[in-house]
Amino acid sequence: MEWEIADSLPPDVVAEAEQMPKGGLIECGDSSVNWHGATTVTLTEGTEPEPLVRELEAKYRDSRFQIKVRDPAPAGHYEVQLRSPDTAEIYIIGEGFDPSTIRIASGSECFPWPADETIRGDF
């Protein structure tokens, strides 16, 4: 889904898109976890991220997701969250750590995890 969101951006404003090769697991409860990761989209020179984030919000407005907007988000920029109404699945889209990027952070649906297996580390 991170790639679907990144691929929704106009190709002429995308210089590069890179998905983190690994993410982390967080407990959901009842012996289940969800996976968290992120994709960073580097924009072409002079492209502002906020209008693109707003376009993504509009694209997903009538989708399977509930939309939450934070303006400003704690980092001080416009952020849109795509939240599944039925599961823990979430995508947080906003300006990245570098102002010429968009970061798409994600959390998967919860899934079973063996009680005797650690969730520490990268997956």
Side-chain angles (χ1 to χ4, degrees):
M1 186 65 192
E2 289 177 17
W3 281 118
E4 177 184 310
I5 295 167
D7 287 343
S8 296
L9 295 166
D12 62 318
V13 301
V14 175
E16 178 184 27
E18 182 179 10
Q19 187 174 48
M20 292 173 38
K22 295 183 179 183
L25 298 175
I26 297 177
E27 289 183 26
C28 294
D30 299 332
S31 299
S32 63
V33 298
N34 66 350
W35 181 86
H36 289 257
T39 294
T40 300
V41 178
T42 302
L43 304 172
T44 56
E45 188 173 334
T47 303
E48 292 294 323
E50 184 175 322
L52 296 170
V53 173
R54 289 181 183 272
E55 286 178 25
L56 290 169
E57 174 193 354
K59 173 187 166 64
Y60 288 98
R61 177 71 50 199
D62 294 321
S63 70
R64 66 184 176 94
F65 295 106
Q66 295 175 339
I67 304 290
K68 180 180 179 184
V69 171
R70 298 197 310 171
D71 186 17
H77 52 76
Y78 188 85
E79 175 185 281
V80 63
Q81 298 177 6
L82 311 179
R83 299 169 164 214
S84 168
D86 304 314
T87 69
E89 181 184 13
I90 187 169
Y91 302 91
I92 302 169
I93 308 163
E95 183 177 307
F97 300 120
D98 179 325
S100 64
T101 63
I102 292 176
R103 186 168 194 266
I104 306 162
S106 68
S108 73
E109 294 183 30
C110 295
F111 55 92
W113 192 257
D116 60 342
E117 295 285 327
T118 184
I119 65 169
R120 293 196 169 113
D122 294 330
F123 294 88

